[in-house]
Structure formats: structure tokens, C-alpha cells
Amino acid sequence: TMTKGKDGSLNIMLASTNIMDVDVKLNFEKALDNVTFYRHVYDANDVLCTANGEFIQPDLKLTNVTDSLTDTIKPYSVVVYTTEKFCK
């Protein structure tokens, strides 16, 4: 499910409970206007918990997205795609 934030940002969250990588393709009902999505990935093997509770920085920028989004999701990870450009 894609949600739209109060600021107009588009947001998608996927969670994988698979033991292997999963190829995904998200097809949108309505075409998007060449938007840019930033991918944020939580992978327990790569992200260290800190007392500061820092945000996970985007690791991928997907540009010119119109009718679909294709990606590979790591095992046991949570992925957020958002059009909101994150600023530290």
C-alpha cells in the first residue's frame, strides 16, 4: 500500500520474512509523474542500534518512476521508499 503524507510525499513500506533475496515489482494503479523515490533499508545485520536513535540514511535514489518500481529486497529486512528527501 502506498500512502500520501500531509506534505504530499508518497511512502511505501515492504517487509521481508524470506530467507533469501526477493525480487519485487510494484505496479501503480495511476501513473506517477516521473517522481524520485529514496530507499531506506533496515537490515539487522547492517544497522547498529544506538542510544541516539538515528534515522537510516537512504542507500538508493530511484529517479523517473512512473508506472512501476522494481527492486531486490534482502532477507528479514524492512524497506521504505519515500519521495521525501531526508535531511540530517
Side-chain angles (χ1 to χ4, degrees), residues 43-84:
D43 180 346
N45 295 318
D46 296 333
V47 177
L48 299 174
C49 293
T50 66
N52 297 335
E54 297 174 7
F55 285 104
I56 298 171
Q57 296 294 315
D59 70 330
L60 182 65
K61 181 179 178 180
L62 302 158
T63 58
N64 300 317
V65 176
T66 55
D67 58 352
S68 66
L69 187 152
T70 305
D71 200 3
T72 300
I73 308 300
K74 291 183 178 182
Y76 304 111
S77 63
V78 176
V79 181
V80 173
Y81 303 94
T82 182
T83 56
E84 183 177 356

Side-chain angles (χ1 to χ4, degrees), residues 4-48:
K4 189 171 187 177
K6 291 179 182 178
D7 61 354
S9 64
L10 301 175
N11 308 284
I12 302 167
M13 185 185 82
L14 301 176
S16 173
T17 58
N18 293 294
I19 61 172
M20 298 174 61
D21 287 355
V22 177
D23 294 327
V24 297
K25 182 175 182 181
L26 306 174
N27 295 305
F28 305 119
E29 286 182 14
K30 295 180 182 178
L32 304 176
D33 190 22
N34 293 313
V35 299
T36 297
F37 278 98
Y38 300 91
R39 181 181 73 179
H40 301 262
V41 178
Y42 172 79
D43 180 346
N45 295 318
D46 296 333
V47 177
L48 299 174

